[in-house]
Amino acid sequence: MKYCLFIAVCFFSLFLYPQTNKDTDSIYYYNRQANLNISSKNYNKAILYTQKSINLCTRNEKKESLANQTFKLGKIYYNQHKYDKALENFHKTLVLFDSLEPNCTKVLALHYIAITNTAKGDSKTADLYYAKAKNLLKKLNIPDYAETLDYQKAMALKNSNELVQAVKTFRSIIQKKDNPQILKTKADSYYQLGLIETQLKHNDSALIYLNDALKYNAKKNDLHQKSKIVLAISQYYKQNRNFDLAYSYLEEHYQIENYLLKIKNSKIDFNEFQKFKKNQALNNTIKKESEEKIQLKTYRYSKLVSILAIALISILSLLSLALYKNNIIRNQNNLLLREKNKELILAKNNAEKASKARSEFLSTVSHELRTPLNAINGITHLLLEDKPKKKQLKYLESLKFSGNYLTTFINEILEINKIDSTKVEVENISFNLKELLFNIQSSLKELALANKNYFNLEIDKAIPDHLIGDPTKLSQIILNLINNALKFTHNGHVDVIAKLETKENDNAIVYFEIVDTGIGIPEDKLQTVFESFSQGSIEVNRKYGGTGLGLTIVKKLIELLGGEIKLKSEVGKGSTFTFKLNFKINNEPLETQQEIKPYSDKQLKHKTILLVEDNKINQMITRKMLENKSISCEIIENGEEAVELLKTKHFDMVLMDVHLPGINGTTATKLIREFDQSTPIIALTAISLDENRDMLISFGMDDVITKPFVPDDFYSTIAKFFN
C-alpha cells in the first residue's frame, strides 16, 4: 500500500503541486490551462502554457518546479511522437536534478528517455536508461514500482513492433511473485501477451494467456479491465471461426459494459437529487424571508402556499419511494435473469469444452503415434533398399504393409474431427467401382484365411464400369465394414454385394450390402454402435480389440456422401449393413497412365542439407535416407544452434522439425528469415498436414513433410527445390 501511495504522490507532485502552490498564482494558472488542454488533446496550446510556466520558473529560480514543468513538456512532445524534442526536454530535466535531491520525477524522466529511444529504434541507449531508472528506484527504496516501469517498457517495445523483446519483458513481469501491488500489472501483462500471440497466430498460447489474465483480474475485480479481456477472447474465437464461443464472450462483454454504465448513471442521478434538495432548501429560505417581511398582510396566502408546498413535497417523496422500490424489484429480477443466463452460458461452455477435449485427445494420440511410426516405416524402407535376402523380403514387405495400414488407421482417427469441423471435402473423380471392390477383396484375403472365413464378392454386371464419385471415402467405408465382419466372424461366411438399384440418364444408384455370420450385436446396442468409442460390450472389446471408431467414421462418411446406413443384427447369427449411394456415370473410358517417378537421383546428388531434429531415431533414419541419394547431411539438435550455424555456413536446404527443445522450429525459421531469405526450409511435423500447412508457411517455411515419411513423397518434396 505504501508503494501505491508513493507513486500517487509522485504524479500529484508532478502535475498538481503547482496548482496548490498559492504563492505563485501565475505558475498555477499556466499549469491549470496546460492540463485542461492536455485532457482535450489540444497539444499546441498545452505546449504554449507549459513554456510560459517554464519561463516564469526560470525567472523566479524555482528549480524543482522548473524540472517538473520541463519533464511535462517532454511528455507532451512524446505523446505527439516528436521524439527528438521530447528527448531534449527529458535531458534538461536530468540536468536540473544534478543540483536537486532525486525523486520520482527523475525516475520518470530516465524511464521516458528509455521508452522514447525504444520508439526511435535505438535499443542500446534505451536499455542503458532502463537500467538507470531501476537503480534509482532501488536507491529510493521503492523496488515494487519496477513492474510498472517494465510494463511501460514492454508497451513501448510492442508499439515499435519489437514483439520478441516485448514478449520477453511481459513474461518477466508475470514471473514475479504475486503481491497486491502488482496484480493489476500482471493481469495487463497477460492480456498484452494474449494480444501478441493472437497477432502471431499462436492460437493455443493466446488463449492460455487471456485466460490467465481473467484469473488475475478476478483477484482485483477490475470490471473495466475484465471487459477488455473478455472482448479480446471473443475476437480470438471469431478469428478462429468458433462463432458460438465468440458470441458468448461478446455477450459477457456487453453485460459488463451495461453494468458499468448503470453505475455511472446511478451516480449522476444521486448528484442530481442532491442538487435538487439543495435548490429546494434555498427556495424555502427565500420564501421564509419573504413571508417575514409581509407576514401581516399575506398571512393566509403564505399559509396556503406552505400547505401546498408540504403537499407537493409529500407527493414527490411518495413518488420517489415508489420509484425506489420499483427499481429495487427490477434490479433483483435483472440479477436473477443474469444468474440464469450465466448458468446457461456455463452449461454451453462445458459442452463445448467436452467436445474440444475429445478433439484434443484424438490429435494428441495421432501426434504421439506418428513419431514412433515414422521410425518403423523409415527403418523398413531402409532395410528394403539394402538388398535383403529373399526369405527376409517377405517379412519386410509384411512390416511395410502393416506400417502403411497403421498410418492410414491413425489418419482415420482424425477423420471424425475433420467431418465434425466441416474440413472434409468430397472428391468427384472418375473411377472403376468393380476394380476397387476386387482390390479391397485381395487386400483382406489374408484376414479372411486367418479366421477361416469364406469371403465372397458379388458385383452386378449392370453396374457401369466408370462412375464419378469419391473412391477414397468409399474405400474407407467398405474396408471398415468388411474388416469388422471378418474380425467378428470365425469359421463363417462374409458376403459383399453390390447391385444397381436404378439407372436414369447419367445417374446410377448403387445398393451395397455386407453380410456376415459372426457374433452379432444385441438389440439394445444397435443404436449406440455408431457412437464414438462404442462397442457391443466390454467383453467384446477385450476379446477383439479396436478403438470403437470404425462404425462412427462409416456412418459420418456415408451421410457426407448423401446416403444412410441401416443395420440388422441378431446375437449368434450375424449382422447385415446396407446403404445406397448415388453416382454420376462417366461415359468416357479411364486412361491408364504409367506411373512416372516425380524426381531423379541426379537432382539430389552432392547436395548439402542441415537437419534440425532432436529425436535420435529420426536423426538416424533421415540421415540414412539422404545419404542413400548421395546427399551430405549435418545434424543440429536445437533451434538456437541452427540459427547461429546458418549465419556462418551455407546449406542447399534446411529440414526443420517443428517441435524442438528451447525455441521451436517456427520461431527458429522466423529468426533465420531475418538474414537469409533464399535457403529453402522444409518443416518436419507429426501433426496433420491439412490443419497446419498454412500456419507453418506463414512463418517463412517453403513446404511441409508430414511424419511418418512416404519415401517417394519425401524425395519429391526435396527435389522440387533443386530443379
Side-chain angles (χ1 to χ4, degrees):
M1 188 67 190
K2 64 181 181 180
Y3 299 126
C4 295
L5 188 61
F6 185 88
I7 295 166
V9 170
C10 286
F11 282 97
F12 283 140
S13 67
L14 182 61
F15 296 106
L16 299 183
Y17 172 76
Q19 296 181 15
T20 58
N21 192 345
K22 298 299 181 179
D23 295 334
T24 55
D25 289 336
S26 296
I27 295 174
Y28 160 76
Y29 172 76
Y30 293 143
N31 195 64
R32 184 167 64 86
Q33 293 298 318
N35 288 340
L36 289 172
N37 282 288
I38 290 171
S39 300
S40 60
K41 296 186 178 179
N42 190 349
Y43 293 118
N44 289 334
K45 283 191 175 181
I47 290 171
L48 177 65
Y49 284 112
T50 306
Q51 190 61 58
K52 287 183 178 182
S53 181
I54 289 171
N55 294 338
L56 193 57
C57 290
T58 304
R59 288 198 300 271
N60 294 328
E61 296 183 354
K62 295 182 177 293
K63 284 193 176 181
E64 187 170 353
S65 297
L66 179 60
N68 290 336
Q69 295 301 312
T70 306
F71 172 72
K72 182 176 182 178
L73 183 60
K75 272 198 67 177
I76 297 171
Y77 282 127
Y78 175 80
N79 291 332
Q80 289 184 298
H81 304 294
K82 296 178 180 180
Y83 298 130
D84 290 330
K85 289 186 176 181
L87 285 173
E88 180 182 347
N89 283 280
F90 292 145
H91 282 293
K92 284 181 180 178
T93 303
L94 292 183
V95 171
L96 289 168
F97 269 105
D98 287 342
S99 58
L100 296 170
E101 284 293 321
N103 59 23
C104 58
T105 304
K106 184 174 182 180
V107 175
L108 292 172
L110 290 167
H111 183 69
Y112 267 91
I113 291 172
I115 62 175
T116 306
N117 279 289
T118 298
K120 290 183 67 177
D122 188 354
S123 58
K124 289 185 178 178
T125 305
D127 289 340
L128 178 65
Y129 280 94
Y130 283 132
K132 287 183 177 181
K134 280 192 175 183
N135 289 335
L136 185 54
L137 273 177
K138 290 179 181 177
K139 288 181 181 178
L140 295 173
N141 197 24
I142 48 171
D144 285 349
Y145 188 46
E147 284 75 22
T148 305
L149 296 186
D150 285 342
Y151 178 81
Q152 291 182 357
K153 172 185 175 182
M155 289 299 297
L157 290 166
K158 180 190 171 190
N159 294 334
S160 301
N161 208 29
E162 296 182 29
L163 299 183
V164 174
Q165 289 300 319
V167 167
K168 183 177 178 182
T169 308
F170 281 128
R171 284 178 178 169
S172 71
I173 296 172
I174 64 177
Q175 287 169 0
K176 301 278 184 173
K177 289 184 178 179
D178 289 350
N179 64 67
Q181 284 75 35
I182 68 168
L183 286 178
K184 185 179 185 303
T185 305
K186 290 187 77 171
D188 285 333
S189 299
Y190 276 114
Y191 168 71
Q192 294 297 336
L193 283 168
L195 294 180
I196 293 172
E197 293 296 308
T198 301
Q199 180 181 341
L200 297 175
K201 297 183 179 179
H202 296 170
N203 294 335
D204 292 339
S205 300
L207 187 57
I208 290 170
Y209 283 132
L210 291 173
N211 283 329
D212 286 340
L214 274 182
K215 291 177 184 176
Y216 274 89
N217 172 265
K219 297 178 181 179
K220 295 291 287 184
N221 198 23
D222 185 339
L223 291 179
H224 292 282
Q225 186 187 64
K226 184 176 182 179
S227 178
K228 291 193 302 180
I229 297 168
V230 169
L231 180 61
I233 296 175
S234 172
Q235 290 170 346
Y236 162 85
Y237 280 119
K238 181 181 176 183
Q239 289 176 9
N240 287 274
R241 306 186 67 78
N242 191 338
F243 296 112
D244 288 340
L245 275 177
Y247 173 78
S248 173
Y249 279 99
L250 186 61
E251 180 69 16
E252 186 176 356
H253 164 72
Y254 284 135
Q255 288 177 3
I256 295 171
E257 289 296 318
N258 287 335
Y259 179 72
L260 292 172
L261 185 60
K262 285 181 180 179
I263 293 174
K264 182 179 178 182
N265 289 338
S266 67
K267 289 181 180 178
I268 293 171
D269 292 341
F270 179 78
N271 291 334
E272 290 294 324
F273 180 71
Q274 291 293 99
K275 185 177 179 181
F276 168 76
K277 287 178 66 178
K278 185 177 180 181
N279 289 336
Q280 188 137 9
L282 182 62
N283 290 335
N284 289 338
T285 302
I286 294 170
K287 196 176 294 182
K288 187 176 180 181
E289 290 175 355
S290 299
E291 288 172 355
E292 289 175 353
K293 290 179 181 179
I294 56 174
Q295 187 175 10
L296 295 174
K297 294 181 180 181
T298 59
Y299 174 74
R300 292 180 181 177
Y301 178 77
S302 299
K303 188 175 181 180
L304 180 62
V305 170
S306 298
I307 293 170
L308 290 174
I310 293 169
L312 179 62
I313 292 170
S314 300
I315 292 169
L316 289 173
S317 299
L318 289 171
L319 287 174
S320 298
L321 182 61
L323 289 172
Y324 176 72
K325 288 184 176 180
N326 287 336
N327 191 48
I328 290 174
I329 294 170
R330 186 182 62 185
N331 288 338
Q332 288 174 344
N333 290 336
N334 287 340
L335 184 62
L336 183 61
L337 287 173
R338 282 197 294 270
E339 290 298 325
K340 293 295 182 184
N341 190 38
K342 284 181 181 178
E343 289 176 6
L344 290 173
I345 292 171
L346 183 62
K348 178 174 173 288
N349 290 344
N350 287 338
E352 288 171 347
K353 284 178 182 177
S355 176
K356 183 181 178 182
R358 186 194 68 172
S359 300
E360 289 176 350
F361 166 74
L362 293 177
S363 296
T364 302
V365 169
S366 170
H367 179 272
E368 293 302 322
L369 289 177
R370 284 176 185 269
T371 300
L373 189 57
N374 181 54
I376 295 171
N377 287 1
I379 293 171
T380 304
H381 171 74
L382 295 175
L383 291 173
L384 283 169
E385 284 198 340
D386 208 19
K387 298 178 182 180
K389 296 177 183 178
K390 286 186 178 181
K391 66 177 184 178
Q392 295 174 329
L393 189 61
K394 179 180 178 182
Y395 298 119
L396 290 173
E397 290 290 350
S398 297
L399 184 59
K400 180 181 178 183
F401 172 81
S402 299
N404 291 336
Y405 180 80
L406 186 55
T407 303
T408 304
F409 177 72
I410 292 168
N411 291 334
E412 287 179 351
I413 289 178
L414 295 178
E415 197 72 34
I416 296 172
N417 277 346
K418 291 181 182 177
I419 296 170
D420 289 342
S421 59
T422 66
K423 290 184 179 179
V424 175
E425 295 182 0
V426 178
E427 285 186 314
N428 283 295
I429 61 174
S430 185
F431 71 99
N432 189 318
L433 176 61
K434 297 173 185 176
E435 185 179 324
L436 182 143
L437 292 173
F438 280 126
N439 288 339
I440 291 173
Q441 184 188 34
S442 298
S443 66
L444 295 174
K445 274 184 178 179
E446 289 187 14
L447 180 58
L449 290 172
N451 288 346
K452 299 179 181 179
N453 289 322
Y454 175 72
F455 183 16
N456 180 45
L457 176 63
E458 294 182 20
I459 303 176
D460 189 350
K461 292 182 180 179
I463 296 174
D465 288 337
H466 306 297
L467 301 174
I468 295 176
D470 194 326
T472 304
K473 292 178 179 57
L474 181 60
S475 297
Q476 284 180 269
I477 294 166
I478 296 174
L479 269 169
N480 266 306
L481 291 174
I482 298 174
N483 187 62
N484 274 355
L486 292 171
K487 183 168 70 170
F488 294 113
T489 304
H490 291 268
N491 297 315
H493 291 262
V494 175
D495 295 312
V496 180
I497 301 166
K499 291 182 181 179
L500 181 65
E501 181 87 6
T502 60
K503 180 181 177 183
E504 293 181 6
N505 299 328
D506 290 335
N507 289 315
I509 296 177
V510 181
Y511 169 83
F512 296 91
E513 183 173 301
I514 292 87
V515 185
D516 67 68
T517 59
I519 63 173
I521 302 169
E523 186 176 353
D524 61 334
K525 301 291 184 182
L526 290 178
Q527 296 301 321
T528 60
V529 292
F530 291 106
E531 296 177 2
S532 299
F533 306 105
S534 176
Q535 290 188 327
S537 67
I538 296 174
E539 291 76 14
V540 169
N541 177 265
R542 288 174 178 170
K543 183 175 180 181
Y544 296 96
T547 63
L549 294 172
L551 291 180
T552 306
I553 295 172
V554 166
K555 182 175 184 293
K556 290 180 180 290
L557 288 177
I558 289 175
E559 290 173 351
L560 190 67
L561 297 177
E564 180 184 2
I565 190 167
K566 295 180 180 179
L567 166 62
K568 292 181 182 179
S569 186
E570 188 174 345
V571 176
K573 293 186 177 181
S575 304
T576 301
F577 292 86
T578 60
F579 62 95
K580 300 175 186 176
L581 293 176
N582 187 19
F583 300 96
K584 287 192 175 293
I585 301 171
N586 184 14
N587 296 317
E588 298 179 6
L590 289 171
E591 295 182 6
T592 57
Q593 297 181 348
Q594 186 176 359
E595 187 176 350
I596 302 173
K597 196 175 182 181
Y599 66 92
S600 66
D601 292 348
K602 188 176 180 181
Q603 287 176 270
L604 306 174
K605 200 170 184 179
H606 302 314
K607 300 296 182 182
T608 58
I609 290 180
L610 175 64
L611 172 63
V612 188
E613 168 68 74
D614 63 313
N615 186 285
K616 299 295 184 182
I617 297 176
N618 286 340
Q619 288 178 6
M620 180 269 291
I621 293 167
T622 309
R623 181 198 286 271
K624 186 63 177 174
M625 290 177 70
L626 294 172
E627 289 177 348
N628 284 351
K629 300 296 181 182
S630 299
I631 298 172
S632 176
C633 174
E634 186 170 337
I635 297 173
I636 292 291
E637 293 190 354
N638 60 72
E640 292 91 340
E641 292 182 10
V643 173
E644 294 303 318
L645 180 62
L646 285 166
K647 287 179 180 178
T648 58
K649 189 173 181 180
H650 171 74
F651 292 90
D652 295 315
M653 178 178 287
V654 179
L655 298 179
M656 179 75 71
D657 186 29
V658 173
H659 298 279
L660 294 168
I663 62 171
N664 57 29
T666 54
T667 304
T669 301
K670 192 174 180 182
L671 294 174
I672 292 168
R673 287 306 185 212
E674 291 178 1
F675 60 86
D676 184 352
Q677 297 290 329
S678 60
T679 302
I681 301 177
I682 298 178
L684 305 179
T685 177
I687 307 174
S688 173
L689 178 63
D690 294 335
E691 296 177 2
N692 292 271
R693 180 182 176 83
D694 292 340
M695 183 271 287
L696 294 172
I697 295 297
S698 70
F699 283 99
M701 294 175 168
D702 297 286
D703 212 327
V704 181
I705 298 176
T706 307
K707 300 175 185 176
F709 305 146
V710 177
D712 281 341
D713 292 345
F714 177 76
Y715 292 130
S716 299
T717 303
I718 294 173
K720 71 181 181 182
F721 290 95
F722 297 145
N723 289 334

